[in-house]
Amino acid sequence: MRSAWLRLLVFVVLVLNLMANRHGESVLVHIQVIGWYVIATAVALVLAWKRRGPGWSTAVFVVIDALLVVALFHEHLFAPGQTFDHSLTAPSLAIGFLLLTHTALRLRPDLVLLFSTVVLTGWLSLLAITLFVHAHLHPMAASEWSLFGAEGALAAAFAFAAFVCYLLTKEHSAILAEAVASERRRQMLARFFSPSVVAELQNNATGLALARRRAVIMFVDLRSFTRLSETAKPEAIAELLSEYRQRVSPRR
């Protein structure tokens, strides 16, 4: 639902951008971008709802989103009969930031890196081509050079935002991996030690404090356990042993 609402917001921005477009030649390109975006969104949401699809499908949808953003930049840089207009960068950049946020919400730093790399590579490549074409067709005035400088500054701002999202998602992944590893260690210790000992082992990074202690060791032979283990299911045996340990383990 979070992904659906965010993608709906992007769709609204795309439609508003189309309605406010001042260049009739680029309307068809914008409609095609919206159409591909709607198709990709529908397929992605259906796969997410049914929890199906290969693992690499997420990366494919991220690349599609990034290419659609690049297509919007191409629209205002290379539309037929259109001069370079820096004001048209704002809607495309807003959509780029929204889709960057959507990618970051997946909490995977590799997807953030993939999305930002595709967008920045396409954007800077188109900007370089535009600069080359303008420089060779006619001498560029100082105001035109400032427009290209502002475009580069916006690209740098997008790169910085992408870098922050990458660091946040990477830190989240590290914390999550540490939490999962800690829980696995706790479950492993819980198989052999009482809850109080497990808690002490987890609270002390170096292990139990060294000290002389009074201890009692009890050896137990469960009657007919060997015969039971040969016929019973592994799940039933595990449940039986877990219940037995809970009954005989000392509690404080």
Side-chain angles (χ1 to χ4, degrees), residues 186 189-204 207-209 213-214 245-246 248-252:
R186 189 196 67 78
L189 292 172
R191 297 174 56 188
F192 306 102
F193 299 101
S194 64
S196 59
V197 175
V198 172
E200 189 172 351
L201 286 172
Q202 286 189 313
N203 294 333
N204 295 276
L208 291 171
R213 305 188 181 199
R214 293 184 178 274
R245 282 197 298 269
Q246 291 178 2
V248 301
S249 296
R251 297 186 180 277
R252 297 180 180 179

Side-chain angles (χ1 to χ4, degrees), residues 60-147:
V60 171
F61 289 117
V62 169
V63 171
I64 292 175
D65 287 344
L67 291 178
L68 291 178
V69 175
V70 175
L72 292 176
F73 284 117
H74 179 274
E75 173 193 352
H76 77 78
L77 289 175
F78 292 96
Q82 176 180 321
T83 57
F84 178 75
D85 188 354
H86 173 68
S87 63
L88 294 177
T89 303
S92 303
L93 188 60
I95 295 171
F97 273 112
L98 286 174
L99 290 177
L100 173 64
T101 304
H102 178 265
T103 304
L105 288 177
R106 298 177 186 271
L107 302 177
R108 288 181 52 182
D110 57 329
L111 295 181
V112 174
L113 184 62
L114 176 62
F115 178 84
S116 57
T117 299
V118 174
V119 171
L120 287 173
T121 301
W123 187 4
L124 294 178
S125 298
L126 293 174
L127 194 60
I129 295 173
T130 306
L131 181 61
F132 177 80
V133 172
H134 279 247
H136 282 73
L137 289 181
H138 58 81
M140 296 181 61
S143 59
E144 292 180 317
W145 282 105
S146 63
L147 289 178

